[in-house]
Amino acid sequence: MRTNERGSAIGLISSAIVVSLAILAGPALAQKADRPEVKVGDEWQFMSYIVVPIQKPNLVWVITSVTPAGIAGTSNGKPLTLTPDLNVIESPTRKFSDRRNLSFPLEIGKSWTYSNHTEFKDTGGATQADAGVTVAAYEKVTVPAGQFDAFRIEAKGKFGQPGAAGAGASEFTETTWYAPSARAVVKQVWRDPVVGERVLELASFKLQP
């Protein structure tokens, strides 16, 4: 092989190696997410349903205030309060003490626990849930709003009447997909033997620059 041909071949091989390394390194670089910079005016439309999918959004979140202490907005036009990590504190129908589905920064293998008391404002009931949570994977997920690169976060625990999260409580699992590009949870699936499967999926969103 002549010198010029040998040089060209080496150049092609080097380029291929660089491209391959870039492909391999890309997902790894993305496998950590800091707390998003949520902004006033950010809006997400969701489909929330039990077992049977629906065709149109029935839940709209709009951010109205962002401070170091927390985030305020509206859920279908009524007050919504979030932690800085985007966990719901209070919605029009629920009030949570510590339902920590998200804990930034997110990275594969990170884990935490929570003990949450839920008040059902619409019915007057209450439950207690204790769970362990793990960031399990960084993967693609498809929802009505499109396909996203997202962190899959797995929660597993027990829930029941306050004080009954041990004996007699029901087991549950909750899988959450958080997409950095949407600044939001794009899908969430709760499963328990009482209600069955409850699903939240992102239908559309509009983020402020």
Side-chain angles (χ1 to χ4, degrees):
M1 182 181 292
R2 289 177 294 182
T3 302
N4 289 344
E5 292 176 341
R6 186 181 296 110
S8 298
I10 292 173
L12 288 172
I13 293 171
S14 299
S15 297
I17 292 172
V18 170
V19 170
S20 298
L21 289 174
I23 291 172
L24 291 172
L29 292 174
Q31 288 177 3
K32 182 176 181 180
D34 292 323
R35 180 184 292 169
E37 294 185 14
V38 174
K39 300 180 180 180
V40 172
D42 284 353
E43 177 182 315
W44 302 271
Q45 296 194 16
F46 299 97
M47 296 179 183
S48 177
Y49 57 88
I50 298 175
V51 182
V52 181
I54 58 177
Q55 302 302 315
K56 295 181 179 180
N58 59 355
L59 181 63
V60 180
W61 282 12
V62 180
I63 301 303
T64 58
S65 173
V66 179
T67 70
I71 300 167
T74 59
S75 176
N76 289 347
K78 297 181 179 181
L80 172 71
T81 307
L82 309 174
T83 69
D85 277 353
L86 306 182
N87 296 301
V88 178
I89 298 174
E90 189 166 3
S91 74
T93 60
R94 304 284 190 273
K95 187 174 182 179
F96 303 100
S97 66
D98 183 25
R99 189 186 178 200
R100 203 163 357 120
N101 291 311
L102 299 174
S103 179
F104 292 97
L106 296 176
E107 53 188 329
I108 294 173
K110 181 177 179 178
S111 62
W112 62 92
T113 61
Y114 70 73
S115 182
N116 174 65
H117 177 84
T118 301
E119 295 180 20
F120 297 91
K121 296 163 62 176
D122 49 350
T123 64
T127 61
Q128 176 72 29
D130 298 299
V133 188
T134 301
V135 182
Y138 184 73
E139 62 190 18
K140 294 188 181 297
V141 62
T142 300
V143 295
Q147 187 179 79
F148 296 88
D149 292 318
F151 290 88
R152 174 164 50 85
I153 303 156
E154 302 281 358
K156 184 177 181 180
K158 293 185 176 183
F159 77 101
Q161 296 299 314
S170 298
E171 293 187 351
F172 76 90
T173 62
E174 187 170 33
T175 305
T176 299
W177 286 265
Y178 169 81
S181 63
R183 300 179 196 159
V185 168
V186 296
K187 185 173 182 177
Q188 196 166 57
V189 180
W190 167 290
R191 296 183 178 91
D192 71 63
V194 179
V195 176
E197 185 174 273
R198 286 176 282 183
V199 180
L200 178 77
E201 293 184 302
L202 184 65
S204 67
F205 64 104
K206 180 174 64 176
L207 301 179
Q208 299 303 308

